[in-house]
Amino acid sequence: MKELGRNLEQAEKENYDLIIVGSGIYGIMLSLEASRRDLKTLLLEKGDFGGETTLNHLKTVHGGLRYLQTLDIKRFMESVKERKWFLKYFPEYVNTMQCLMPLYGQGVKRNFILRIVLLLNDILSFTRNLGLRKDKKLPMGSILSHAKTKKEFPAVKSEGMTGSALWFDANIGEFQRFNMKVLHTASSMGLDTINYFKVENITSSKKKVSGIEGTDLLSGKKFRFKGSVVVNASGPWSRESAKVFDTDYPELFKKNLLLWNILFDRKALSGSALGLSPNKGKGHTYFFHPWKGRLLVGTGEIVVGDIKDDVKVPEKEIKKFIDDINSAVPGIELNKKDIVKIYKGLLPASDKGKLSKRPSFINHSGNGGPNGLYSVSGVKFTTSRLVAEELIKKIFPSHSPVPYDSVFKTEEKKGDDLFFGYSDEVTGNDKKKLKNIIENESVFHLSDLILRRTSLGENPERALKVLEKIKELFPWDEKKWKEEKQKMEKELRSELKREK
């Protein structure tokens, strides 16, 4: 794979067809869609690639089953199609996932209703397995009996339980490696990437975009990059960026919805992912993802005010989250000391404080702004590629894409697992993989490697023990290493500072 270079001087000499500001999953997918259309593209990121909301994803690829409950067939079909794309072209990272939801005869969560929903799910997604490897195909759903539900999920609340709904979706084991593979692929088709670059404004001539200007946060130097089209895909900062580049567009982020998932130091409750509610099917449903055999639960959400660089989940919300889990699972008895990591991110909400249903596209020239300036605010990870494809088609309608079958060479091998389990060992092979990442993926801080290139940071206690063991892999002097190590230790220990 081509390395993710960072040559600002060379980039300043180029004339780009497209400059993308922001490297969350929407910026990453825009890069891919543009590059496979032979568009000379530059991706700019003020921090590190995929480092904010995208990093804190629940690591799932949902096929949209919940949309059938409201008969939103369009969104359902979009989700089914995109889930298939993930399974087909990233088989080394994306896996099938069995899902189970106990039923208690409440509301729409009744056996006969879910039997219809699951049947409809299978009928409408009849092409879901075409072209997939055998081990990536999704079986049909079904309703399990009380006894079979108990066998799949021994800790289930038995009283009043009438059975369970079983269906199949997908998940991503090594999320950071998935992000990097997409960027490597786009880079091999001509994408240029620069992290740690703060875009401060666009440049324009006669109301037409001519590029951007900003500061390299590593050197402090100012740079200008030439490009005829700029897409603002800066996630939670998209509205603020639009205001700086042109004017305010409230529809990009009407309200800020803080969402979070929590990884606990417990084994998964089942081999299946679980949809559980604290009140036997009533109220909010939590998704229990058995990520690497551990207990990862999501998602909590609240509306927050002004965006800050590090929005905290309020302690009372964490307590409620844990209380709900304890209510949903008899005898689990979780508390704050069981928390390994809290994943949090901001997504756009409606005026009523609910997660926006659709992404927002803004063509600034259609509203008196510069020609060639666009903004996008996305909502859903699963359909991020589709949103990117639609936007690139609108901006560059005459550019035909290279087929995906010629872009991705799918392999039988399993993707690199850089979580290292729960031992303190770092093997020679592990070091070889990490060294390759450091040399080829624009790693400039220790946190880039620990948090955003690998899943080492998913276990802060484990990561603290391996830092000194990987020191030799970095081309830094002693002063630089100490600075980076201290910053990383501080960040990792902040995850562990909870009431015992």
Side-chain angles (χ1 to χ4, degrees):
M1 285 187 177
K2 182 184 175 184
E3 67 176 280
L4 301 181
R6 190 180 186 276
N7 191 331
L8 286 84
E9 288 75 15
Q10 179 59 39
E12 204 168 32
K13 299 175 184 177
E14 300 282 354
N15 284 295
Y16 290 98
D17 299 308
L18 172 64
I19 299 175
I20 301 167
V21 181
S23 73
I25 192 61
Y26 282 80
I28 289 173
M29 291 300 186
L30 281 165
S31 299
L32 178 64
E33 287 299 320
S35 297
R36 75 185 187 105
R37 287 168 172 78
D38 198 28
L39 294 164
K40 186 60 179 173
T41 304
L42 175 64
L43 177 65
L44 299 172
E45 168 58 48
K46 70 175 182 180
D48 191 25
F49 304 123
E52 297 295 337
T53 300
T54 292
L55 181 66
N56 296 303
H57 185 249
L58 191 55
K59 304 173 177 65
T60 55
V61 183
H62 286 303
L65 179 65
R66 65 184 181 273
Y67 297 139
L68 289 181
Q69 297 177 13
T70 56
L71 296 180
D72 192 340
I73 305 301
K74 187 176 188 296
R75 293 180 79 189
F76 170 81
M77 297 302 291
E78 288 175 349
S79 297
V80 169
K81 175 188 173 186
E82 294 308 298
R83 179 185 62 191
K84 179 180 176 181
W85 181 84
F86 280 93
L87 285 165
K88 181 175 182 179
Y89 295 112
F90 300 89
E92 71 272 47
Y93 296 118
V94 183
N95 307 297
T96 61
M97 177 175 63
Q98 181 171 293
C99 305
L100 191 74
M101 183 170 66
L103 305 174
Y104 296 92
Q106 302 285 350
V108 297
K109 296 177 182 178
R110 305 184 187 202
N111 290 39
F112 77 93
I113 294 178
L114 265 297
R115 185 172 280 108
I116 294 171
V117 170
L118 293 176
L119 179 61
L120 189 59
N121 176 55
D122 290 328
I123 292 173
L124 291 176
S125 65
F126 70 98
T127 62
R128 67 188 179 277
N129 292 324
L130 291 179
L132 297 185
R133 276 173 24 184
K134 184 178 180 180
D135 61 327
K136 302 300 174 181
K137 293 186 177 182
L138 303 171
M140 294 179 67
S142 62
I143 298 296
L144 298 188
S145 66
H146 185 288
K148 287 184 177 180
T149 301
K150 189 77 175 175
K151 183 177 180 180
E152 288 284 343
F153 174 29
V156 66
K157 273 188 176 180
S158 293
E159 184 182 354
M161 193 257 291
T162 59
S164 62
L166 181 145
W167 71 98
F168 294 84
D169 251 325
N171 64 38
I172 300 179
E174 288 288 319
F175 192 70
Q176 294 89 337
R177 301 313 305 153
F178 163 81
N179 288 341
M180 288 301 110
K181 178 167 182 180
V182 177
L183 285 179
H184 275 298
T185 302
S187 181
S188 70
M189 294 185 287
L191 172 70
D192 289 335
T193 58
I194 301 176
N195 51 352
Y196 296 107
F197 184 89
K198 184 179 180 181
V199 175
E200 290 161 341
N201 213 336
I202 62 167
T203 57
S204 59
S205 175
K206 298 180 180 180
K207 294 292 284 184
K208 180 169 177 56
V209 168
S210 59
I212 66 93
E213 55 188 9
T215 302
D216 173 19
L217 298 179
L218 298 182
S219 68
K221 295 180 180 179
K222 299 284 186 179
F223 287 87
R224 286 190 176 190
F225 302 122
K226 298 183 287 292
S228 55
V229 175
V230 171
V231 174
N232 161 31
S234 50
W237 295 273
S238 58
R239 180 175 174 183
E240 197 62 35
S241 296
K243 194 185 301 183
V244 172
F245 298 161
D246 178 23
T247 189
D248 188 23
Y249 286 88
E251 58 265 45
L252 286 170
F253 246 80
K254 290 183 179 179
K255 290 189 176 181
N256 306 314
L257 192 66
L258 175 64
L259 299 99
W260 65 91
N261 309 303
I262 299 180
L263 179 65
F264 293 96
D265 187 18
R266 295 287 188 89
K267 290 183 178 180
L269 301 173
S270 169
S272 302
L274 305 169
L276 306 176
S277 302
N279 299 309
K280 294 183 178 180
K282 292 182 179 179
H284 185 75
T285 297
Y286 292 90
F287 194 76
F288 290 61
H289 180 181
W291 181 74
K292 295 183 181 293
R294 312 309 291 176
L295 182 61
L296 174 60
V297 186
T299 300
E301 61 181 55
I302 56 169
V303 173
V304 295
D306 293 339
I307 295 177
K308 300 175 183 177
D309 286 338
D310 187 20
V311 181
K312 302 289 187 183
V313 181
E315 289 295 321
K316 66 177 182 179
E317 295 296 336
I318 294 176
K319 182 180 184 304
K320 181 181 181 302
F321 189 95
I322 293 175
D323 287 345
D324 280 351
I325 295 172
N326 287 335
S327 175
V329 185
I332 192 171
E333 298 181 354
L334 290 173
N335 56 54
K336 285 180 64 178
K337 72 179 182 181
D338 295 310
I339 296 176
V340 174
K341 192 173 180 66
I342 297 176
Y343 305 87
K344 56 189 179 352
L346 292 162
L347 286 175
S350 66
D351 288 329
K352 295 181 179 180
K354 298 297 183 182
L355 182 65
S356 297
K357 291 184 177 181
R358 286 286 180 181
S360 295
F361 295 132
I362 303 294
N363 180 349
H364 289 252
S365 67
N367 296 278
N371 184 29
L373 176 62
Y374 300 83
S375 290
V376 59
S377 175
V379 179
K380 191 178 176 185
F381 169 82
T382 304
T383 51
S384 56
R385 189 215 63 86
L386 178 63
V387 172
E389 181 181 53
E390 291 176 347
L391 183 54
I392 294 297
K393 281 181 179 178
K394 288 180 181 179
I395 302 172
F396 302 99
S398 62
H399 288 254
S400 300
V402 175
Y404 272 117
D405 285 336
S406 63
V407 171
F408 292 107
K409 307 302 181 184
T410 58
E411 302 175 16
E412 293 292 332
K413 71 175 185 178
K414 186 176 183 291
D416 290 335
D417 187 339
L418 296 170
F419 182 62
F420 296 166
Y422 287 82
S423 74
D424 295 339
E425 182 183 10
V426 183
T427 67
N429 190 45
D430 293 332
K431 288 184 179 181
K432 183 178 179 181
K433 292 176 182 177
L434 294 175
K435 181 71 171 176
N436 183 61
I437 290 171
I438 292 168
E439 293 177 346
N440 295 295
E441 294 185 358
S442 291
V443 171
F444 294 98
H445 296 292
L446 189 50
S447 59
D448 296 343
L449 178 71
I450 300 296
L451 302 178
R452 295 174 291 276
R453 300 295 182 279
T454 73
S455 53
L456 272 170
E458 314 280 3
N459 186 342
E461 188 171 357
R462 163 77 170 86
L464 284 167
K465 295 177 181 178
V466 306
L467 293 183
E468 200 62 35
K469 297 179 182 180
I470 61 175
K471 175 183 177 181
E472 65 189 75
L473 305 179
F474 291 88
W476 299 333
D477 59 27
E478 191 65 26
K479 181 182 178 182
K480 170 72 171 175
W481 169 257
K482 285 183 178 179
E483 290 175 351
E484 288 292 330
K485 185 183 177 187
Q486 286 175 357
K487 289 178 184 177
M488 191 72 260
E489 287 177 335
K490 182 179 179 181
E491 187 167 354
L492 291 170
R493 284 181 177 135
S494 71
E495 294 282 352
L496 300 172
K497 286 183 179 178
R498 296 194 171 86
E499 294 177 4
K500 300 295 183 181

